[in-house]
Amino acid sequence: MFAGPTLLHLALDNQDKPLYVPLLILAFILCIAAVVFLFLGINTILDSMFKKKK
């Protein structure tokens, strides 16, 4: 959760460096993955709490 925004900040601060575009892409992928894993984790917790037993 913290690596994505940190890398995004580093990439946007160094726009003149040659690794700007790959670092920016990696930062966006990490940010999106963090959001997806957050929703999956919350969904798992809620399913374990409120799902009816068969």
Side-chain angles (χ1 to χ4, degrees):
M1 278 177 63
F2 299 108
T6 303
L7 285 177
L8 185 64
H9 179 72
L10 287 174
L12 292 177
D13 278 349
N14 299 316
Q15 292 182 3
D16 55 339
K17 303 290 183 191
L19 287 177
Y20 168 69
V21 174
L23 194 60
L24 190 65
I25 292 170
L26 179 65
F28 277 126
I29 289 172
L30 285 175
C31 287
I32 291 169
V35 171
V36 168
F37 286 133
L38 175 76
F39 282 122
L40 288 175
I42 290 174
N43 193 19
T44 302
I45 292 170
L46 290 177
D47 281 346
S48 68
M49 288 173 51
F50 297 115
K51 201 167 195 175
K52 293 182 181 178
K53 305 268 183 186
K54 289 186 178 181

